[in-house]
Amino acid sequence: MTEHSIRRAGTLIAAVLAVDGLAHMYWSTGLTWPAADSRTLSFAVLGFPVPFTPQILLPLAAALFGAALLVHGRVTLGRRHRLGWLPQAGTVAVAAGLLIRALAGLVWACGIGVRTGTAFYWLNLCAYTPACLGLGLAAVTVVRYDAKGRSWLPCTVLPLLVTAVALYGAYGYTPVQQRGYRPEAGSRFVDTPVARFHYLREGQGPAIVLLSPGAASTFAWRPQLTTLARTHTVYAVDLPGQGFTELHDHGFRFDLPSMVSAVDTFLDAVSVRSAVLGGDSWSGGWALAYAQRHPQRVSRLILLAPSGLARPDVWSWELLKPLVVGELATKAGFGSRAAVAAGVRDLFVHRERVTGPVIDAMWAPGTLRDNLRSEYLLERGLDWRTTQNGLRRTLQPTLIVWGAKDTVLPVAQAATFGRLLPNARVSVLGDCGHALTLDCPDQVTGLMEDFLGVR
């Protein structure tokens, strides 16, 4: 390429980066055009939810403007200038970043790791990936212009190799599925178009339906199920992505509407028209959302440290939201028994109760393919804004139980639920963690019995 062409390429790259910076500044004002809201905008631009706040957007805008200046400096100062190394290094970084994004985009354009038909899929296919590939190759020519030696080559190629390995880990590698681990005695199954639901059923009387805690299975409700079955027909069920339920609908979207619909499908399948509905952690949020959408089918709610407020999660769960990073973190964190054991211990205050069988029950079902991918898809797809907005209109009598030493969802959220729910009873257990049903089984069961008026 001629010197004139190189200058034009550098100017074009700098202009695109500057325009991108201006877009970030525009969004930092709270405006979200061309999307309806910031969450929709985030999914269209990034493929996963990120708060479009000034604290996040303004530093990104500054980085984009800085990169634009460095690329422009590369074609105006040249390497021979005494400060030429700085724009050269910046342009190498820009070239590497653009090509990394193009490489990831080529994978996503094949429908790997993202849902086809979404705004992000089509924007990635038609705009993001072609632009990043073209600008990235142009940036390489700018780097090579008037450069001495080949020192630029490893600086650009090495990040691409690392990215290729990461993409394989995210979308090609699958941890060993522990299919030899069997559900507990007394397990039942019911087939529906959505899934073959795994559940337990004990007792006779009014129905109680307990949704397995997020990232767990029906075993977590065993202490409560056995006791409450003296006076009720108690169901404990794994929803899609949990325990031993097998997904039939492979287009199932692991988001809040889908999980709510799955609850409805199960209740219909076992002919339960109305029930006390209970949930723990994620499933507490699903139970709450179901009660808001189908109030006639839920007489009471039992929510243990529930999701349902539009608040950021702890960093270890927020890490599951970004594409590629979330897949890698899930496989590392949920595919390894040692990693699961460490994570489970953090959920308990009474760590003597974290036995080998408890660890296996938390780890083995989670290695199944659909269960594993549900973790990062749910973290990305659960939008609690409508659930939070509907709290004041949720009229069912509700029991809220929280552990004072919860390390996943802050205990301060218990007071928020108590204030916003019209008919809530809130209990905070002083020496308990997040895994309430197993960490403090007797206290939790007692509170449930009192709430149901059976003792």
Side-chain angles (χ1 to χ4, degrees), residues 42-49 101 103-126 128-129 167 170-172 250-254 320-327 369 373 376-377 380:
S42 177
F43 270 104
V45 173
L46 301 172
F48 59 91
R101 175 60 182 83
L103 180 59
L106 290 171
V107 173
W108 297 328
C110 297
I112 300 172
V114 297
R115 292 190 178 100
T116 58
T118 62
F120 176 78
Y121 173 79
W122 288 111
L123 286 170
N124 173 73
L125 179 66
C126 300
Y128 303 152
T129 298
L167 289 169
Y171 304 124
H250 295 292
F252 186 85
R253 298 174 66 91
F254 285 101
L320 304 188
K321 288 181 178 176
L323 297 175
V324 180
V325 175
E327 283 82 347
R369 179 182 176 274
R373 70 188 188 93
Y376 55 82
L377 292 177
R380 293 168 189 164

Side-chain angles (χ1 to χ4, degrees), residues 12-27 61 64-65 68:
L12 174 62
I13 296 166
V16 171
L17 292 171
V19 169
D20 197 10
L22 289 172
H24 282 72
M25 289 191 67
Y26 168 78
W27 292 325
L64 288 164
F65 289 137

Side-chain angles (χ1 to χ4, degrees), residues 13 28 33 73 102 105 119 160 200 208-209 238 247 273 292 315 321 352 364 398 435 453:
I13 296 166
S28 73
W33 185 88
L160 291 176
L200 306 174
I208 300 176
V209 177
D238 294 330
L247 195 61
R273 301 309 308 162
Q292 291 173 342
W315 70 268
K321 288 181 178 176
E352 70 278 4
T398 303

